[in-house]
Amino acid sequence: MGSFSWTHLLIIAVLFVLLFGAKRLPDAARGLGRSLRIFKSEVGQMQAESAAADTQTATPATPAQPQQLSASAPQVQTPVVEPQQQGHKTL
């Protein structure tokens, strides 16, 4: 009961020919093939980008080592400027 036999498939094919015509069916099949090819290439491209992103996150970049100051280089401290406090007025 749940499967299609060859007669069911034949009836469906005849209905398609009657509904769409013999001239439109090859064009429709060609268009469907093109869209499936485009879809397949886009999915492959997305998978390649995902795999490239996974490999980049799997191998973390080593952070750059801070440069050591030589003994002769003067060490300069920048002054810290604190913001001015403004008085709050209460009503």
Side-chain angles (χ1 to χ4, degrees):
M1 171 109 180
S3 64
F4 288 109
S5 67
W6 66 273
T7 55
H8 292 115
L9 295 176
L10 182 66
I11 291 172
I12 291 172
V14 168
L15 285 175
F16 270 108
V17 170
L18 288 175
L19 288 174
F20 297 109
K23 291 183 180 181
R24 287 189 182 175
L25 283 180
D27 292 335
R30 196 173 302 119
L32 181 64
R34 285 181 187 152
S35 19
L36 286 177
R37 245 180 277 127
I38 291 170
F39 180 75
K40 185 177 178 182
S41 68
E42 290 294 324
V43 167
Q45 191 176 26
M46 285 176 32
Q47 287 175 346
E49 288 174 359
S50 175
D54 288 344
T55 58
Q56 287 178 355
T57 57
T59 56
T62 57
Q65 297 293 328
Q67 294 180 352
Q68 297 291 333
L69 295 176
S70 64
S72 63
Q75 294 182 354
V76 179
Q77 287 186 337
T78 57
V80 177
V81 179
E82 295 183 20
Q84 293 179 353
Q85 299 266 338
Q86 295 181 353
H88 296 287
K89 296 181 182 178
T90 58
L91 297 176

